Amino acid sequence: MDNQRLSEEDLLRMEAQYCSYGDTVHYLKNPKIFSRCEGSWLYDEQDNSYLDMQMWYSAVNLGYRNSDIENAHNAQMARLPQLASQYLHRERILLAAELAVETEKRLGEKGRVHFNVGGSQAIEDSLKLVRNYKKGQSLMMAFMGSYHGRTLAASEITSSYRYRKKFGHFGNRALFVPFPYCYRCFIGLKRDTCHYECLKQFSSLFETEYYGVVDLKDNEVEYAAFYFEPVQATGGYVIPPGEYFARLAEILKKYGIPMVDDEIQMGFYRTGKLWAAEHFGIKPDIITFAKSLTNGLNPLSGLWAKEKFINPQLFPPGSTHSTFSGNPLGTAAGLAVMDYAKRHDLESIVAEKGAYLLGELKKLQKRYSVMGDVDGLGLALRIEMTKPDGYTPDRELTDRIFHLGMEGNIETGGRRFGLVLDVGGYYKNVFTLAPALTISYEEMDLFLKLFSALLDRCGC
Ligand SMILES: Cc1ncc(COP(=O)(O)O)c(C=O)c1O
C-alpha cells in the first residue's frame, strides 16, 4: 500500500474499519484530516487554512511549531532522545528544579515535582499522594462541572455521570459541590447581592455530624482533599468571582482539607499567570499540570506538591511509575517552554491581548443578543450562546456555528478561511476560546470577522 497515494476518502474508510472510536470524540459528521500546522493555523489535506481559537484545548499555548521549543526538542533528539525512567538526565532535574523554584516564588512554599505522561495520570498520582498523606482516607470533594480526566479514578472526581456509567465505580465518587458559575447560579442568586451564599451553605456542611462530612468529637473530616480548577475548563471557561477561592480556602484550612489545584488546562500562562490560582491569592497544597508543559510536543505531565506530602520518607521511590514519565524529549521541551516564558513577558502580553479580545467581544455582544455571556481571564475566554433572550442556552446554534467554522469556506477580504472552535459548558453552548498566546492583533481581528460572518450566516 502506497500510503502517500491514499485519498482522504480512503483514509476515512480505513478509520471506520480499523480505529477504535472509543479513544477520541467525533464531533464532526465528516471528520477532518489535517496535514500541517504553524502558529495559530491548521491546514487540511487540500491546504485550506483554519484559524485555531482553541489550540488543542490549550495544549499549544506558544503556537504550533514554535521554533524555540522545536529546536530544543530536536537538539535533545540528536543527543539523548531515549532513556529508561530509572536513570537520570540533566533536563529532567533542571525542569523539576525550574518548576519548583518558580512555584516557591509564587506560593512561598517549598515543594517537589513528580512526572508522568498525561493529565489524568498526574491526577491519579495526586490521588495517591493525598490518600497516602491522609493515611488511606479515600473520599474527595470536587466541583460540579469539573473535568479531571477519564481514567477510572479521575472519572470519580469528574462531575459527569456519563463518563462513569458504563464502567462502574472504581474507588469513590466525589462529593460534588456547586462551582461559582454566577451567570447561572445553582441556587438562583445574583452576584451583586448574594454575599457568597454558596460558601455559607458549604460551610454549614461542617456544623453537625448529621450532614455527613465531619466527626465533631475528634474534629475529623471524612474527605481527604478538595479538587478544583481555578477556572473551570471543560465546564465552559467559567471564571469565579474574585474572593471566592480565598474564602473557600479559609473554610478548608479550618477543617484540615488540602487543596489540589488542577492546572492541566489553565496552567502555563493561559490566564496570564504561570498558575491560574495565582489570580485568586490562594496557596494550593498540590498542583497538577500537563498539556502546555511541552507546548503539546510530547505527552509529559506532572505535579508539584508541598514537601510534607511528597518528601521521600512519606512518598518513597516506586510510589508511582510509568515507562515514559520524565522522558528526555518531553523534559527538554518543558525546559524550553519555561525559558520562553522568562524571555518574553508573557504576563503582560497575555493580559493586554486578553483585555483587547474581551473588549472587542463585548462590543460584538451588543450587536448579537445570542451572545448571552462573554467573559475572560487573560486568553481564556468564553462566549455563551443563547436564544435572543440572552439567557436560554442554545446548543443547536452553537453546534451549527462550530460545524460551519470547520467547513473552511468563510469569505473575507477576498480569501476563504476555516475557524476552529471548541464547544464546552454545562449546556454545551459555550465557545471556550484558547488562542495561541502568540496570536497577533490582526489574527484576533480576523477571528472577530469570521465569527460575526458565521453569526450572520445563521441569521442571528
Ligand atoms: C482540567 C483538566 N484536568 C485533567 C485533564 C485530563 O488530561 P488528559 O486528557 O491529558 O488525561 C484535562 C484534559 O482536558 C483537563 O482539562
Side-chain angles (χ1 to χ4, degrees):
M1 193 163 22
D2 180 351
N3 289 348
Q4 293 314 314
R5 293 175 71 128
L6 291 171
S7 68
E8 192 161 331
E9 289 72 42
D10 293 332
L11 289 170
L12 289 176
R13 248 195 319 275
M14 288 170 73
E15 197 237 355
Q17 185 174 356
Y18 296 118
C19 297
S20 161
Y21 281 16
D23 65 355
T24 182
V25 191
H26 280 122
Y27 290 122
L28 290 172
K29 279 172 213 91
N30 302 312
K32 275 256 163 267
I33 299 184
F34 287 104
S35 51
R36 64 186 187 95
C37 57
E38 189 81 48
S40 291
W41 295 89
L42 287 175
Y43 299 87
D44 68 14
E45 294 265 300
Q46 291 75 39
D47 220 32
N48 296 312
S49 43
Y50 297 74
L51 179 61
D52 192 336
M53 291 299 286
Q54 61 94 46
M55 297 309 286
W56 195 0
Y57 311 106
S58 197
V60 196
N61 283 355
L62 306 180
Y64 291 119
R65 307 221 41 211
N66 181 304
S67 58
D68 290 354
I69 319 304
E70 235 177 58
N71 290 343
H73 177 274
N74 295 349
Q76 188 71 33
M77 189 73 151
R79 205 162 44 80
L80 178 74
Q82 299 135 310
L83 185 71
S85 62
Q86 71 262 38
Y87 302 122
L88 291 175
H89 61 278
R90 175 177 289 264
E91 291 70 24
R92 179 193 179 113
I93 299 169
L94 291 178
L95 179 58
E98 183 67 27
L99 288 163
V101 168
E102 287 302 317
T103 304
E104 185 177 343
K105 267 191 214 160
R106 289 161 169 82
L107 305 187
E109 284 277 349
K110 293 215 176 300
R112 290 171 191 262
V113 168
H114 175 105
F115 292 115
N116 209 319
V117 288
S120 305
Q121 287 84 352
I123 291 287
E124 298 260 338
D125 291 353
S126 72
L127 286 165
K128 279 192 175 178
L129 269 184
V130 169
R131 290 167 77 144
N132 183 51
Y133 179 77
K134 287 292 192 107
K135 302 196 169 28
Q137 264 196 336
S138 56
L139 298 185
M140 307 294 153
M141 289 176 168
F143 278 117
M144 295 175 186
S146 62
Y147 184 91
H148 298 292
R150 291 203 210 177
T151 53
L152 286 166
S155 302
E156 298 289 351
I157 57 170
T158 290
S159 58
S160 300
Y161 168 47
R162 188 162 60 84
Y163 299 144
R164 290 185 290 271
K165 72 176 188 184
K166 296 205 195 96
F167 311 111
H169 286 274
F170 185 83
N172 304 287
R173 182 187 185 280
L175 173 70
F176 293 107
V177 302
F179 190 80
Y181 178 11
C182 303
Y183 178 64
R184 298 189 188 279
C185 174
F186 187 71
I187 43 181
L189 300 178
K190 293 269 172 271
R191 175 70 277 274
D192 297 344
T193 49
C194 73
H195 307 293
Y196 289 99
E197 178 61 27
C198 54
L199 281 172
K200 279 191 208 141
Q201 292 191 4
F202 177 69
S203 177
S204 333
L205 285 177
F206 301 88
E207 263 169 26
T208 155
E209 69 176 62
Y210 290 91
Y211 293 151
V213 166
V214 65
D215 176 357
L216 288 171
K217 282 203 179 122
D218 49 17
N219 215 22
E220 200 178 291
V221 176
E222 202 176 9
Y223 290 84
F226 196 116
Y227 276 75
F228 68 100
E229 300 158 83
V231 170
Q232 263 189 353
T234 308
Y237 282 22
V238 188
I239 299 155
E243 287 171 50
Y244 178 87
F245 271 113
R247 291 180 180 223
L248 175 71
E250 268 173 40
I251 302 170
L252 296 175
K253 188 169 173 205
K254 187 164 163 201
Y255 296 101
I257 304 174
M259 294 180 84
V260 184
D261 172 14
D262 181 346
E263 297 272 356
I264 288 167
Q265 194 158 155
M266 290 297 150
F268 301 104
Y269 298 93
R270 168 57 49 205
T271 65
K273 303 274 184 200
L274 173 61
W275 307 129
E278 292 174 56
H279 290 282
F280 305 112
I282 46 172
K283 298 185 173 189
D285 296 278
I286 297 172
I287 299 174
T288 57
F289 47 82
K291 297 189 193 285
S292 259
L293 168 61
T294 65
N295 204 36
L297 263 192
N298 176 286
L300 182 73
S301 68
L303 59 81
W304 170 92
K306 285 182 183 168
E307 188 67 13
K308 67 178 179 182
F309 289 87
I310 201 170
N311 68 75
Q313 287 71 44
L314 195 63
F315 206 62
S319 297
T320 80
H321 179 268
S322 183
T323 302
F324 289 94
S325 69
N327 71 78
L329 292 173
T331 48
L335 260 183
V337 166
M338 294 302 284
D339 180 57
Y340 184 100
K342 277 201 177 136
R343 285 184 293 105
H344 299 80
D345 182 7
L346 283 185
E347 288 207 4
S348 316
I349 291 173
V350 172
E352 281 161 24
K353 287 183 185 174
Y356 174 76
L357 191 49
L358 183 58
E360 293 303 305
L361 283 171
K362 291 213 159 162
K363 283 186 206 158
L364 213 58
Q365 189 186 24
K366 294 210 171 81
R367 264 175 49 205
Y368 298 102
S369 57
V370 293
M371 291 170 68
D373 185 50
V374 166
D375 201 359
L377 187 62
L379 280 168
L381 299 109
R382 73 191 315 269
I383 308 172
E384 179 145 357
M385 304 304 297
T386 61
K387 301 281 183 202
D389 65 5
Y391 191 72
T392 311
D394 196 336
R395 182 178 181 164
E396 199 197 321
L397 173 64
T398 317
D399 218 42
R400 268 179 73 201
I401 293 172
F402 165 73
H403 277 86
L404 287 173
M406 293 303 278
E407 283 179 6
N409 58 10
I410 319 165
E411 288 191 27
T412 176
R415 286 188 60 194
R416 286 151 72 99
F417 298 96
L419 182 60
V420 181
L421 294 166
D422 181 45
V423 176
Y426 294 24
Y427 302 91
K428 297 284 167 254
N429 68 322
V430 181
F431 290 118
T432 50
L433 304 180
L437 310 185
T438 52
I439 193 170
S440 66
Y441 282 82
E442 292 73 30
E443 286 166 336
M444 287 194 278
D445 288 343
L446 177 63
F447 159 67
L448 295 160
K449 275 193 199 136
L450 299 178
F451 189 68
S452 35
L454 291 179
L455 288 170
D456 291 340
R457 243 202 245 178
C458 292
C460 300

